Amino acid sequence: ETGVTQSPTHLIKTRGQQVTLRCSSQSGHNTVSWYQQALGQGPQFIFQYYREEENGRGNFPPRFSGLQFPNYSSELNVNALELDDSALYLCASSGGTSYNEQFFGPGTRLTVL
Amino acid sequence: GENVEQHPSTLSVQEGDSAVIKCTYSDSASNYFPWYKQELGKGPQLIIDIRSNVGEKKDQRIAVTLNKTAKHFSLHITETQPEDSAVYFCAASKANFGNEKLTFGTGTRLTIIP
């Protein structure tokens, strides 16, 4: 069974740029959730995708957008990057027999300069 | 929306002793409460969870208790070992037909003193 993977592991961007982060869900899972974790804080829910449709969104502006593909992998896109977007971005996959359990990937560390 | 508070923010325990981390939640409709362990440079790892129809759950040295009336739940780690040192997060969600969003606490940094 393959776990949740994310790419890239680290990324440095400048303010105003755009970034795309990628996530491959665990085998058998059809749901991907994205979270933002600022330094020293708990993860904050950005949005969730279920069978390629957005299925809930947290308190994040529209410049945070996402996609889910037929193989259930997912992308998080952030436009017009701001300094406060610097954080660890985590994706979690769930579904199938794991019911409510969400399993996290290692995250992508984004630094905005 | 849901609000989860977690205490303490830091906890130091002698190896072999027990550690307890407590969380409270605000939304009485929340019914799923997982605990995650996050080591430096890694994503959160699910270590145990409990659903609202259960008051206590145990898995080897780890146990979780839930008091729905008081809206609080706790993580208990017995016979602590150096490898238990990490940041622990509690979370809550209203998980019914699907996988609802998790609302996390602010974390507890647990240090096991050899």
Side-chain angles (χ1 to χ4, degrees):
Chain A
E1 183 179 271
T2 306
V4 180
T5 60
Q6 292 186 244
S7 63
T9 53
H10 296 87
L11 203 52
I12 300 175
K13 292 285 188 178
T14 56
R15 195 169 49 182
Q17 285 190 310
Q18 177 266 342
V19 68
T20 297
L21 311 181
R22 295 176 175 84
C23 171
S24 291
S25 60
Q26 188 167 307
S27 176
H29 288 179
N30 55 18
T31 303
V32 172
S33 304
W34 286 92
Y35 293 81
Q36 180 194 66
Q37 186 177 24
L39 204 60
Q41 300 295 317
Q44 297 288 319
F45 177 74
I46 303 175
F47 44 57
Q48 181 183 88
Y49 278 84
Y50 170 67
R51 293 187 174 179
E52 303 178 59
E53 296 287 331
E54 187 177 291
N55 182 43
R57 187 178 184 93
N59 190 26
F60 281 81
R63 58 189 185 84
F64 285 77
S65 63
L67 282 173
Q68 187 178 32
F69 301 98
N71 66 354
Y72 303 128
S73 66
S74 178
E75 286 182 356
L76 164 65
N77 300 289
V78 187
N79 293 322
L81 284 167
E82 301 177 359
L83 297 180
D84 285 349
D85 294 334
S86 295
L88 181 68
Y89 288 85
L90 297 160
C91 83
S93 79
S94 53
T97 57
S98 69
Y99 195 47
N100 306 125
E101 298 160 340
Q102 295 190 22
F103 297 92
F104 283 83
T108 293
R109 171 71 63 188
L110 173 65
T111 302
V112 182
L113 302 176
Chain B
E2 175 67 278
N3 182 51
V4 177
E5 295 189 357
Q6 182 172 347
H7 301 281
S9 56
T10 61
L11 180 61
S12 294
V13 173
Q14 290 286 341
E15 181 179 353
D17 287 351
S18 296
V20 180
I21 303 171
K22 299 182 179 181
C23 289
T24 60
Y25 61 99
S26 61
D27 190 342
S28 56
S30 289
N31 58 8
Y32 174 65
F33 307 93
W35 285 88
Y36 286 86
K37 174 183 181 182
Q38 188 172 27
E39 297 174 284
L40 197 62
K42 297 184 178 181
Q45 175 194 1
L46 179 66
I47 56 171
I48 196 167
D49 57 13
I50 191 167
R51 292 178 171 84
S52 59
N53 58 347
V54 175
E56 183 174 357
K57 183 177 178 181
K58 190 174 181 180
D59 182 4
Q60 299 184 333
R61 298 187 296 109
I62 295 174
V64 57
T65 58
L66 171 65
N67 183 326
K68 285 190 294 184
T69 303
K71 289 191 281 189
H72 67 69
F73 56 113
S74 300
L75 177 71
H76 304 253
I77 305 175
T78 59
E79 301 173 12
T80 53
Q81 301 170 2
E83 53 265 37
D84 295 329
S85 293
V87 179
Y88 291 80
F89 291 97
C90 62
S93 76
K94 291 181 282 189
N96 296 310
F97 303 105
N99 298 283
E100 305 296 334
K101 71 171 186 177
L102 294 172
T103 300
F104 284 84
T106 50
T108 296
R109 181 172 298 279
L110 175 63
T111 302
I112 307 302
I113 304 166

